[in-house]
Amino acid sequence: MIKFFRKIRQNLIKENKVTKYVLYAIGEIFLVVIGILIALQINNVNEANKTRERELSYLRGIKADLSLNLLELQKTVKAREAHIESSNIIIDYYENQLVEDLDHFNLHVINVCLWFPSDFNNNTFQELLNSGNLAIISNDSIKNDLLNMDIGYKKIRYLENHIQHDLDILIYDQYYTFADVNSSIKNYFQQVGNSPENRVDIGKERVQLLLESQKFKNGCALIIFNNNSLIEKYNNMISTTNKLITRIDNEMETK
């Protein structure tokens, strides 16, 4: 092809057809420019397709993380509600100062002591941030939701740490001081496991000592207050997570 165009140029020069040669040269330059532009356009399309595939890969990863977090949030809400219920029952014992069923009291004391922080998974989003690839997410609404959710997770973690601190100072310290931990735990597992064996005696006098602890009662009251705040944040996060999953689904179906 190159030899063909070269031959045409040579013939035009030999025939002294300068005007036709100039027009031909311009046409050839035009064709070269068009070829370059087409090549650039193809390259841009290929790069855009690669970028889009990377974006979709991130979106799929984010959706998988969000789905796991949704299950964790729903599970944690139930756990916090149980924590509140047991705290209310313990406070009721304090108000009435009468424990007729030591096993029932012990069950809810252990429930109050049981505490596990939520375990959220945002590995894909953190990878986006740490790699500087957040801009690859083309949908600004998704990007803003992810940033706001990251702030929401940090607020939840802060409040959970606050509750953990209250438990350490007000609940665990008093429980370890007055209760026979070994007997209480054995009694608890016999109850939750529906064991036919006789319950391990936790000691009525130890229960009475715990009921005289204002610290323990205050700890239960703070558990109720702070867990109610947490549940509100969890539910807000559940709503936001569901909306974001829908947005991601819609985004992956476009283009």
Side-chain angles (χ1 to χ4, degrees), residues 73 83 85 99 241:
L73 284 163
H83 218 208
E85 181 183 2
V99 180
T241 300

Side-chain angles (χ1 to χ4, degrees), residues 77-118:
V77 166
K78 292 180 179 179
R80 301 300 182 246
E81 288 173 343
H83 218 208
I84 290 171
E85 181 183 2
S86 288
S87 297
N88 274 315
I89 289 171
I90 295 300
I91 288 180
D92 188 56
Y93 274 117
Y94 272 93
E95 300 296 339
N96 295 316
Q97 288 294 312
L98 181 63
V99 180
E100 295 180 350
D101 187 342
L102 295 180
D103 292 345
H104 182 259
F105 177 82
N106 183 65
L107 175 71
H108 290 287
V109 167
I110 297 292
N111 283 344
V112 166
C113 291
L114 288 176
W115 167 264
F116 300 99
S118 53

Side-chain angles (χ1 to χ4, degrees), residues 90-232:
I90 295 300
I91 288 180
D92 188 56
Y93 274 117
Y94 272 93
E95 300 296 339
N96 295 316
Q97 288 294 312
L98 181 63
V99 180
E100 295 180 350
D101 187 342
L102 295 180
D103 292 345
H104 182 259
F105 177 82
N106 183 65
L107 175 71
H108 290 287
V109 167
I110 297 292
N111 283 344
V112 166
C113 291
L114 288 176
W115 167 264
F116 300 99
S118 53
D119 184 21
F120 298 123
N121 183 4
N122 62 342
N123 293 338
T124 306
F125 177 67
Q126 290 303 319
E127 181 186 337
L128 269 174
L129 287 180
N130 296 334
S131 63
N133 286 326
L134 185 59
I136 204 172
I137 305 300
S138 57
N139 188 311
D140 288 337
S141 295
I142 291 176
K143 196 162 20 182
N144 290 333
D145 281 348
L146 287 170
L147 291 169
N148 289 332
M149 286 187 73
D150 189 52
I151 295 172
Y153 287 136
K154 289 176 181 175
K155 288 180 179 178
I156 286 174
R157 186 67 66 217
Y158 172 82
L159 190 49
E160 286 181 340
N161 289 338
H162 185 70
I163 291 176
Q164 181 66 63
H165 178 266
D166 289 342
L167 284 165
D168 290 339
I169 301 299
L170 300 174
I171 297 295
Y172 298 150
D173 177 67
Q174 298 300 291
Y175 178 66
Y176 297 149
T177 299
F178 299 119
D180 181 344
V181 177
N182 185 53
S183 296
S184 297
I185 290 176
K186 285 182 178 180
N187 181 287
Y188 174 81
F189 280 113
Q190 283 179 343
Q191 291 186 76
V192 298
N194 293 317
S195 173
E197 300 177 10
N198 292 329
R199 302 279 188 260
V200 176
D201 184 16
I202 64 172
K204 189 171 184 178
E205 68 285 349
R206 293 186 179 278
V207 170
Q208 189 57 42
L209 286 172
L210 199 57
L211 284 172
E212 292 172 0
S213 170
Q214 186 66 42
K215 267 191 174 183
F216 198 90
K217 181 182 179 183
N218 290 343
C220 290
L222 284 174
I223 284 172
I224 295 168
F225 177 79
N226 287 325
N227 271 307
N228 275 318
S229 298
L230 260 179
I231 288 172
E232 182 181 354

Side-chain angles (χ1 to χ4, degrees), residues 44-54:
N44 289 339
V45 170
N46 289 336
E47 286 301 315
N49 288 337
K50 290 179 183 178
T51 300
R52 178 59 177 172
E53 187 51 44
R54 288 176 63 203

